[in-house]
Amino acid sequence: MSATLAVVGSFEIPTIEYAALAPIMIVMGAAVLAVLVEAFVPQRFRRVTQLVITFASLVGAFAMVVKAGGTSQIVAMGSVAIDGPTLFMQGSILVLAALAALVMAERQVDPSGDSFAPRASALPGSADEQAFTRLGWLQTEIWPLFLFCVGGMLLFPASTDLLTMFVALEVLSLPLYVMVGLARRRRLLSQEAALKYFVLGAFSSAFFLYGTALLYGFAGTVSLTGIANALSASAADSGLVVTGVALLAVGLLFKVGAAPFHQWTPDVYQGSPTSVTGFMAACTKVAAFGALMRVLYVALGGISWDWRPVMYVISALTMIVGTLFALTQTDIKRMLAYSSVAQAGFMLVGVVATSAAGLQGTMVYLLAYGIATVGAFAILTLVRDSTGEASHLSQWAGLGRRSPWVASAFALFLLAFAGIPLTSGFTGKFAVFTAGVAGGATSVVVIGVVASAVAAFFYVRVIVLMFFTEPSAEGGPSVVVPSAFTKSAITISVALTLVIGVLPQLVLNLVGQAGVFVR
Amino acid sequence: MNPSNYLYLSAVLFAIGALGVLVRRNAIVVFMCVELMLNACNLAFVSFSRVHGNLDGQVIAFFVMVVAASEVVVGLAIIMTIFRTRRSASVDEANLLKY
């Protein structure tokens, strides 16, 4: 009973740097506003209001990120770091979220409205649901959820203590669980995906939290720099540190979608509404990799010799598992899900390099992968038959002959995933693999190169299917002409994929200026 | 009383919760096991707070409670929709998505 708690003598007013936190605050404020819009604005004005709020806040936040360029400081009483990598990742998240929002705003593709359930509470197949569909009811509740999610994503890679990181993790995850379950069609699959994502996500965040508790027990603080200082001060490896780091890594690697914590990915990607899949595949990955790298580099950089071998294995395993399972898929959405697992493995090569080049290569890869992902899933929403999206591989046979433009855009995104030169994917892969070799992870890079060669097979298989196979006799799915929303999303994605591929120096200079994490 | 006993208790509770998530079949019970894990974390935070003699751990416990409460809101809503659709909350019967 000798330990006495520190008595708080005087209350110190916290200083909050509002200007540096503006991107997060704008998006969060817009999310609160969007909730109020749902409550008070008449139904027929809600969509326009929500779209204005969403896009205005994303553009405003992006402008604040650009304006903050060059700052490198820790703000909000040591909880949030606004440095080059944070700003680059926040900018990437905002661009990708805006592209994904364009796809979500689409209302011309599905004949009965948009891609979200008119009333999520109505039982699938019930008379209620049919009545809602017949009356043409549409909901706009997806927008506040979307904005809260983006707000959490902006905070996640910026947080410099594990508590802020945990709160940001939950703020980004909880709305996603709901969004996953809101599909208009194939609602049983959608609800099942939401259940699986929720149970596994909550399970993994409990691991993250227990890891935080053990590291707090070791260091007496949850701030990343505090943990780094405690690690460098202590001579012996403590059991608390090893267990704590392992549990923390489980939580982060789950969000990243790395093997062996990737099992939720295919089910959730397949079950959720396709526009939401594109959003979470692209943006969650950026946010989660940002947080993972900050923890590994800032807090655990001093003991990198202990965690690097484990991360080597995880990176190699993720590439192998993702590639092999993607080979056997017959559903395009599921194939892209396994491909995203493999891509996470390629990005981990940059992470295990534990160098500035590795950090910057991973950031380039994240942006390149995110843009191609949003574009690819946007195209998936357009290929439809009478029951909804036609995602079975055989239904895409001969698509290139009927809709050459759409098929060419999809082929470009697949080539970017495969890392073919003159696409953004090559820039990203080249950056992480060179960083990996320079960082001494040559064996992992070799596995990565072999895995990319194997992965190229299943990407090219889809291209061959679209362009060089006869379409099936009974017609098959048709490509719907979307409104300007999806059109612009796909056009911008194609343009950015080509620009980053042909002129990689633009984005490489940008990450070069971003520098490294502030400590 | 030695604070490390509380830490052993928290580790045991966490393990029971994790085991429950893996072996139980009812989504509600699985979810309760996750909550047990979060509360085990809280116990660890408060015990370590006592060990270190600072208040961080106790403050974190409050944050965790708030997060756990919001997780309940979202989680029960998702489990309720599944239950109303399938008339069952078993996680084994949610098996349309596979391979």
Side-chain angles (χ1 to χ4, degrees):
Chain A
M1 294 296 286
S2 61
T4 48
L5 294 172
V7 179
V8 181
S10 60
F11 180 72
E12 191 187 332
I13 299 172
T15 52
I16 306 289
E17 291 81 351
Y18 290 98
L21 293 169
I24 301 167
M25 290 193 161
I26 288 173
V27 173
M28 286 294 196
V32 174
L33 195 64
V35 173
L36 294 176
V37 167
E38 281 302 311
F40 293 113
V41 172
Q43 174 91 43
R44 63 179 188 282
F45 300 122
R46 260 184 228 164
R47 172 174 156 86
V48 175
T49 322
Q50 294 286 22
L51 288 183
V52 169
I53 290 175
T54 304
F55 286 104
S57 64
L58 293 179
V59 170
F62 188 75
M64 295 310 286
V65 167
V66 172
K67 187 162 162 267
T71 55
S72 184
Q73 54 172 339
I74 291 183
V75 298
M77 304 299 285
S79 297
V80 179
I82 303 297
D83 52 15
T86 298
L87 290 170
F88 185 84
M89 280 184 274
Q90 286 186 337
S92 308
I93 290 169
L94 288 166
V95 169
L96 296 172
L99 288 175
L102 287 172
V103 185
M104 275 189 224
E106 176 66 49
R107 276 198 171 168
Q108 207 165 303
V109 163
D110 196 311
S112 46
D114 56 11
S115 52
F116 303 109
R119 282 291 176 276
S121 54
L123 287 186
S126 66
D128 281 353
E129 191 196 34
Q130 285 158 9
F132 286 134
T133 309
R134 199 174 53 250
L135 291 170
W137 280 37
L138 298 166
Q139 54 114 336
T140 46
E141 288 152 10
I142 199 85
W143 297 110
L145 292 170
F146 171 79
L147 285 173
F148 275 120
C149 192
V150 174
M153 286 167 176
L154 294 180
L155 182 58
F156 197 37
S159 33
T160 46
D161 70 51
L162 292 173
L163 175 63
T164 311
M165 203 172 264
F166 175 70
V167 172
L169 172 69
E170 293 295 325
V171 170
L172 87 85
S173 300
L174 292 176
L176 263 187
Y177 300 147
V178 180
M179 287 163 79
V180 164
L182 288 181
R184 174 182 285 272
R185 292 167 187 272
R186 304 197 179 101
R187 286 189 60 198
L188 281 182
L189 295 188
S190 177
Q191 292 182 352
E192 183 180 322
L195 179 72
K196 286 178 172 171
Y197 195 20
F198 169 74
V199 169
L200 293 174
F203 190 47
S204 76
S205 53
F207 277 96
F208 181 91
L209 195 64
Y210 206 77
T212 306
L214 295 183
L215 286 178
Y216 170 66
F218 169 76
T221 170
V222 288
S223 101
L224 298 182
T225 38
I227 293 169
N229 293 339
L231 281 171
S232 60
S234 77
D237 270 348
S238 154
L240 280 180
V241 178
V242 176
T243 327
V245 170
L247 291 175
L248 198 67
V250 169
L252 288 169
L253 290 172
F254 173 88
K255 270 291 150 211
V256 160
F261 314 107
H262 69 286
Q263 272 96 350
W264 60 276
T265 320
D267 287 356
V268 173
Y269 280 25
Q270 192 186 1
S272 40
T274 307
S275 49
V276 172
T277 311
F279 166 60
M280 70 176 188
C283 296
T284 314
K285 218 151 223 143
V286 181
F289 263 100
L292 177 71
M293 286 193 290
R294 193 177 287 280
V295 168
L296 291 181
Y297 286 21
V298 177
L300 309 175
I303 55 164
S304 65
W305 285 108
D306 293 312
W307 56 258
R308 272 179 78 178
V310 181
M311 292 300 288
Y312 281 5
V313 174
I314 288 176
S315 169
L317 192 68
T318 309
M319 291 186 279
I320 295 168
V321 167
T323 311
L324 289 186
F325 278 90
L327 281 176
T328 63
Q329 298 306 315
T330 52
D331 183 287
I332 294 191
K333 236 170 145 180
R334 221 171 159 75
M335 189 201 83
L336 287 181
Y338 276 111
S339 123
S340 92
V341 174
Q343 304 283 346
F346 298 137
M347 294 173 206
L348 282 174
V349 174
V351 176
V352 297
T354 51
S355 60
L359 167 68
Q360 290 159 7
T362 311
M363 291 197 296
V364 175
Y365 202 129
L366 283 166
L367 181 63
Y369 161 81
I371 291 166
T373 303
V374 173
F377 281 104
I379 287 177
L380 270 181
T381 64
L382 302 182
V383 183
R384 310 177 75 90
D385 58 14
S386 57
T387 60
E389 285 157 20
S391 60
H392 198 274
L393 212 50
S394 64
Q395 291 172 300
W396 283 54
L399 199 75
R401 306 191 177 189
R402 278 175 288 148
S403 316
W405 284 106
V406 170
S408 308
F410 196 68
L412 175 72
F413 296 134
L414 290 175
L415 292 175
F417 287 140
I420 305 295
L422 297 185
T423 62
S424 60
F426 177 75
T427 309
K429 259 191 189 131
F430 187 75
V432 292
F433 284 169
T434 44
V437 171
T442 317
S443 51
V444 187
V445 172
V446 170
I447 297 177
V449 172
V450 174
S452 345
V454 178
F457 167 74
F458 60 79
Y459 294 127
V460 172
R461 187 179 60 178
V462 179
I463 297 175
V464 170
L465 194 73
M466 286 192 299
F467 287 98
F468 305 109
T469 313
E470 289 295 325
S472 59
E474 66 264 25
S478 56
V479 174
V480 186
V481 177
S483 67
F485 285 114
T486 309
K487 267 185 201 157
S488 48
I490 295 174
T491 316
I492 296 170
S493 306
V494 167
L496 288 177
T497 303
L498 286 173
V499 166
I500 299 176
V502 177
L503 303 167
Q505 221 49 47
L506 294 176
V507 63
L508 289 177
N509 282 343
L510 207 57
V511 291
Q513 286 163 16
V516 291
F517 289 124
V518 65
R519 277 158 209 273
Chain B
M1 184 152 174
N2 188 353
S4 61
N5 289 338
Y6 291 99
L7 294 173
Y8 294 135
L9 176 64
S10 104
V12 168
L13 287 176
F14 187 82
I16 293 174
L19 199 67
V21 173
L22 297 176
V23 301
R24 295 304 296 259
R25 289 288 161 260
N26 187 312
I28 301 275
V29 180
V30 168
F31 186 44
M32 281 162 60
C33 290
V34 171
E35 294 294 311
L36 183 63
M37 292 166 79
L38 292 181
N39 282 318
C41 297
N42 274 348
L43 184 58
F45 274 120
V46 174
S47 316
F48 280 128
S49 172
R50 180 82 181 177
V51 172
H52 287 295
N54 64 23
L55 286 170
D56 292 13
Q58 299 189 17
V59 175
I60 293 171
F62 280 111
F63 276 89
V64 175
M65 282 181 215
V66 174
V67 167
S70 42
E71 227 172 51
V72 170
V73 173
V74 171
L76 284 185
I78 290 173
I79 295 172
M80 271 297 292
T81 48
I82 283 269
F83 178 75
R84 288 179 58 211
T85 310
R86 297 169 182 268
R87 311 307 301 167
S88 143
S90 167
V91 288
D92 277 354
E93 287 177 29
N95 59 359
L96 292 170
L97 289 161
K98 52 190 167 190
Y99 310 123

